[in-house]
Structures are given as structure tokens and as C-alpha cells.
Amino acid sequence: MLTDNAIMLKVKEGDLDRMGLLFERYHRQLYGFLFHMTYKKELAEDMVQHTFYKMLKYRNSFTGTGEFVHWMYTVARNVLKDEYKKMKRAQLHDDVDNISDILPGGVHTGDMYDKKEAARGLHKAMEKLSDEQREILTMSRFQELKHQEIAEILNMTEGAVKVRVHRAMQELKSIYTKMES
Amino acid sequence: MKCEQYQDLFTDYINKQLPAADKAAFEQHIAACPACAKELKAFQQVWDVLGEVTIPEPSADMPMRFNAMLANYKASVTEEVSVWDKLKGQWQQLWQWQPRWPMAYNLAILVVGLSAGFWFLNGNKNADSEKMKTLAAEVHELKQSVMLSLLENPSASERIRGVSYTSEIKHADKEVIDALFATLNNDPNVNVRLSTLDALAGLANHPEVRQGLVQSISQQDSPLLQSAIADVMLKLQEKSSVGSFRELLKQKNLDKGVKQKISKTISKLI
């Protein structure tokens, strides 16, 4: 199997159709990230398309020295930044109350219900984090990226990432506790 | 290490990213420090509950939308290139040949009209009917030249225009037919190839056109064209195409729909 980098370099050389392979491999992961950053399904889907469009358009900026995935996140973060500029955060997150839609459904046994409630609360708490904290937490928890990978994407040291993830978790916990009481 | 430093390792520990040596020291500390143990437990809970959240499935049409975007993008890139070409050669393209042929064509038609008027007014039949014939022949030749040069145009829509001119040419000569086949077999744009196929189907009374179409079957790799050519062959009842279609059926990557269609076409032709 060709590596992501090899495929992207082919795209860069002009074999644009190969981008389809990378879309196949990464659109779900990217969608997950963008969903957590916006909580809007359609918007997140649009932004996935837009990210891939930008990767096509700016394919020459891919050097192949770093991993393709890191570059993809860098492009996606720029798309996100533009989107944040377009709409105020308040508007961006106006359907948090629909968050229960996104939680695991099924039988409402006590335990399940508690977890569902807790997840709902935590998600509301996540809304209150700063964009930076929500982003780093999303990458670490939901995208399951390694600290070293996040460090490359965010262009900081691995140590700084660790501290930030930890702080974001603490912040989240304290917001959540405040909301509960 | 202080408690705080151990707490910075929580995420690594939960993610199982902690190196074995650090892990042992970490667990030792947690076992000895109730405050850190409590903190870790709370941490783990928050982490786990976050994992309970599933995100809605992305729509199934995402890959389709991506493909559409890719196709659009590719089209816009070729457009960009041709815009650049146009800019580069604008002067020549504008003044050298592009309007020259159509203008000459229009002029010729004007001349024909004027001569026809003269002819009617003067009633000088013999001499002028000779002239008329020559003029008509010249116009015909001109049409052919316009068509042939349009087929060379970098823009796909111009090439389609060129192909459509053939319907106006009554007696397509070998040069025209050869140009059309070159387009049918080599043009990068499917739409151009499809209209060329249409134009050639209109010229099917020429035996060499029918023969060329049969030969072209094996050269088409687009499912659209493969099935369009099957339609044409069926319409023409061209039995000699059966062999070429059978060859085509042997191709491994042949589209399923096309395969069915061709099998049907063969059975109808025999």
C-alpha cells in the first residue's frame, strides 16, 4: 500500500484523482474533528469538503517532509479559523441543546441514562472551554492523536502539549463540577 | 517529583502512552498518595464519559460530493491553463485565425447572396450558374476548413462546435472523416467524443465510416462511449461489429452496466 505521503506527492505532481484515496482514508476522521469543533453536522461536512478542496488547490505547499495527516490538520484548522471569523461563537454553538441527539441511544437503564446525562453535561462544559482548549482536547481524546503528533500540528513542544491537555481537562472538570452544583 | 508533576502525566497514563519506567514510578506514587489517586480517578471518569459521546454518522453522499468537487476542480484547472494560453497568444488568436475563418465564411455567404441577387436580376443564366457553382464549392471548402481548425482548438466547447459543423457539410471528404476519427479516438474530453460519435453516425452511409466506427470500439475506455457506440451499431445493424464487441467483453475492468448492454447488443445483432 502506498503511504499517505507518497500519494499526496503524486497529487502534487498533477495526478489529482489520487486525492480520492486520501479522502477515502481520512474524511471520517476529519469530519469527527470538525464536528467536535462546531457541533454542526452539515457545517462539519462542508468543512471537510472545503479542507480537501484547499489541499488540492494548495497542493504545492505540501513538501513531504512532515506527515500528510499533520498537514491535513493544519489546512483544516485554517478552514476552521475562517469559519470562526464568519460566525460568532454564540451562533456557532446554538444547537448544543440538541446534543442529546448525538449521544448513544438505546435502552434507558439507570447506568446508561447516567452516562448519557453525564456526557451531555460534559459536552456543555466543553462548549465553555476556549477554542484552543477544546481543540487540543478534541485532538487528544477524540482524534486519538499522540502528544507528539499534536505537537507537530500545533507547532509546539511535546511538553507544552502535555501541560495544555492536562489544563484543558482540569478546566473541563471544574466547569462541569460548577454546572452540576 | 511533586504531585503536580505526576498530575501532568495523567493523560499519558490514561492513554497508555507512558513509557514503562515512568509508569512504574507513577503507579507507585498513586498508591502512596491518596490525593493524587482521587484526582486520577476523577480525571479518568471525565475522560471515560467523554468517550461515551458518539458523533452523528457523516452523510453517505460525502464521497459523491467529493468526486463532484474534484471533477469541478479539475475542470477549473484546465480552464485556468487555457485562459493562460489565451492570454499568451491573445493577439495571434484574436487576429490571426479565430475570427478570420468565421469572418471569411460570413463574407463568402454575403458574396453568394449578392451574386444570387445579381443572377436573379440579370437573368444571365449560363455564365452565372457556373459562378454560383464555383462559389458554392468555395463556401463548402471554407466550412470544412473552419471545422478542421475548430477541431484543433484547446477549448472543448469550440471543438464540439467544430464537430457540429459536419452536419452542414453535405459531402464529407476523407480529410473531414479522418479528422473526426482522430477526435473520436484521441480527444481527452468525453463530451467532445460523444458529439463526434453522433456526427459520425450521421455519416454512416460512407462505408469507411462504418468500418472506422467498428475499429474504434476497442479504443474507447469510457463506459459512456462504449454504450453509446453499442447504440449506434445496433441502429446501423452493423453485424461486423460483433467481433470487436466480443473483444471488448474480454476486458477485465469493463463497467458492469456496459457489459450487460454489450451482451444484449451482440445478441440482437446476430
Side-chain angles (χ1 to χ4, degrees):
Chain A
M1 200 171 74
L2 278 175
T3 63
D4 300 339
N5 278 29
I7 296 175
M8 188 59 218
L9 286 171
K10 293 245 182 217
V11 173
K12 187 180 172 179
E13 280 164 23
D15 192 354
L16 302 184
D17 284 327
R18 299 244 179 178
M19 193 55 121
L21 271 173
L22 294 170
F23 182 84
E24 198 67 29
R25 284 186 196 173
Y26 288 106
H27 79 275
R28 283 175 170 273
Q29 180 178 340
L30 196 57
Y31 163 78
F33 172 64
L34 291 166
F35 180 79
H36 277 291
M37 297 309 290
T38 57
Y39 299 114
K40 282 177 187 275
K41 182 173 185 282
E42 275 168 27
L43 181 61
E45 286 181 5
D46 286 349
M47 286 163 88
V48 171
Q49 301 290 353
H50 200 56
T51 303
F52 274 92
Y53 171 76
K54 285 212 157 174
M55 288 195 288
L56 277 174
K57 192 169 173 191
Y58 301 113
R59 58 189 180 280
N60 285 329
S61 73
F62 180 74
T63 56
T65 46
E67 287 292 317
F68 165 75
V69 181
H70 302 158
W71 183 64
M72 177 183 82
Y73 274 102
T74 311
V75 177
R77 290 180 73 231
N78 282 329
V79 169
L80 201 56
K81 231 185 265 172
D82 291 345
E83 201 58 44
Y84 278 155
K85 260 186 228 159
K86 261 192 240 165
M87 26 183 25
K88 288 176 186 155
R89 269 193 69 190
Q91 285 172 319
L92 197 61
H93 303 311
D94 62 2
D95 55 357
V96 189
D97 285 334
N98 298 334
I99 214 90
S100 56
D101 300 347
I102 68 173
L103 296 174
V107 197
H108 276 210
T109 60
D111 182 45
M112 189 59 148
Y113 190 70
D114 284 349
K115 271 197 175 165
K116 202 171 154 177
E117 274 296 290
R120 185 191 162 95
L122 265 182
H123 243 88
K124 277 198 168 185
M126 258 186 97
E127 297 297 315
K128 296 210 165 70
L129 291 177
S130 68
D131 288 339
E132 290 75 25
Q133 285 188 321
R134 191 149 25 86
E135 180 176 57
I136 207 164
L137 204 54
T138 301
M139 285 183 174
S140 172
R141 180 63 184 107
F142 299 110
Q143 302 297 111
E144 292 176 352
L145 292 169
K146 294 203 170 86
H147 284 151
Q148 172 242 330
E149 288 181 296
I150 300 176
E152 263 181 65
I153 296 166
L154 300 183
N155 198 16
M156 51 176 80
T157 65
E158 203 178 328
V161 172
K162 275 186 200 176
V163 172
R164 273 165 213 239
V165 171
H166 187 74
R167 285 208 193 122
M169 278 294 285
Q170 276 180 325
E171 181 73 18
L172 180 68
K173 198 157 63 77
S174 90
I175 294 172
Y176 180 59
T177 324
K178 259 184 231 159
M179 275 170 42
E180 289 293 283
S181 56
Chain B
M1 273 207 294
K2 285 184 202 161
C3 285
E4 221 171 73
Q5 286 169 300
Y6 280 111
Q7 287 178 8
D8 277 346
L9 299 176
F10 280 1
T11 336
D12 270 348
Y13 178 71
I14 292 171
N15 278 332
K16 299 185 173 64
Q17 281 186 35
L18 215 53
D22 296 348
K23 196 181 160 207
F26 178 85
E27 281 172 346
Q28 224 173 0
H29 174 79
I30 295 297
C33 174
C36 278
K38 195 182 159 208
E39 187 71 16
L40 176 66
K41 203 182 161 205
F43 214 90
Q44 176 92 50
Q45 259 175 358
V46 171
W47 193 263
D48 287 348
V49 174
L50 274 180
E52 284 298 307
V53 177
T54 50
I55 56 170
E57 275 287 297
S59 311
D61 68 354
M62 278 190 80
M64 222 171 67
R65 283 181 57 202
F66 168 79
N67 286 333
M69 183 273 283
L70 183 64
N72 259 337
Y73 180 75
K74 276 164 66 182
S76 75
V77 170
T78 12
E79 201 69 4
E80 261 171 44
V81 170
S82 59
V83 165
W84 175 239
D85 277 350
K86 268 184 196 154
L87 279 176
K88 246 168 52 180
Q90 200 173 39
W91 191 251
Q92 300 134 317
Q93 276 205 324
L94 266 174
W95 295 108
Q96 282 197 350
W97 71 265
Q98 259 199 336
R100 206 168 68 180
W101 286 117
M103 262 160 68
Y105 179 42
N106 290 342
L107 200 67
I109 286 177
L110 189 70
V111 171
V112 171
L114 286 175
S115 325
F118 262 124
W119 180 62
F120 273 119
L121 286 175
N122 295 340
N124 190 355
K125 278 184 188 172
N126 285 337
D128 281 329
S129 76
E130 262 320 296
K131 258 188 201 167
M132 273 297 287
K133 269 186 194 160
T134 337
L135 269 172
E138 273 170 18
V139 169
H140 189 251
E141 214 169 278
L142 209 51
K143 272 184 186 171
Q144 282 205 6
S145 316
V146 171
M147 181 220 134
L148 290 174
S149 46
L150 280 175
L151 284 182
E152 303 282 318
N153 198 288
S155 149
S157 55
E158 288 297 298
R159 294 202 300 279
I160 291 181
R161 204 153 69 95
V163 169
S164 70
Y165 269 35
T166 33
S167 61
E168 293 180 32
I169 300 174
K170 278 178 212 147
H171 312 288
D173 59 17
K174 198 173 173 311
E175 198 183 353
V176 171
I177 291 173
D178 284 350
L180 284 174
F181 272 116
T183 309
L184 178 69
N185 294 332
N186 305 315
D187 199 280
N189 186 300
V190 177
N191 290 323
V192 176
R193 298 206 302 271
L194 277 173
S195 26
T196 311
L197 180 62
D198 270 346
L200 282 165
L203 298 170
N205 50 341
H206 296 259
E208 67 264 35
V209 169
R210 298 171 80 108
Q211 204 186 347
L213 283 172
V214 171
Q215 278 164 3
S216 170
I217 291 174
S218 58
Q219 306 214 19
Q220 300 301 335
D221 48 8
S222 146
L224 263 178
L225 265 140
Q226 288 165 340
S227 81
I229 220 166
D231 280 336
V232 171
M233 287 299 144
L234 194 59
K235 209 171 125 201
L236 299 176
Q237 283 295 312
E238 185 61 54
K239 292 193 167 49
S240 66
S241 65
V242 170
S244 303
F245 280 132
R246 286 206 173 116
E247 277 303 306
L248 193 60
L249 280 179
K250 283 182 197 156
Q251 277 180 23
K252 273 183 196 152
N253 49 358
L254 193 66
D255 184 88
K256 233 186 204 171
V258 173
K259 209 174 223 171
Q260 280 175 354
K261 179 153 196 172
I262 286 178
S263 309
K264 237 186 239 171
T265 309
I266 292 178
S267 64
K268 277 185 195 161
L269 281 174
I270 315 177

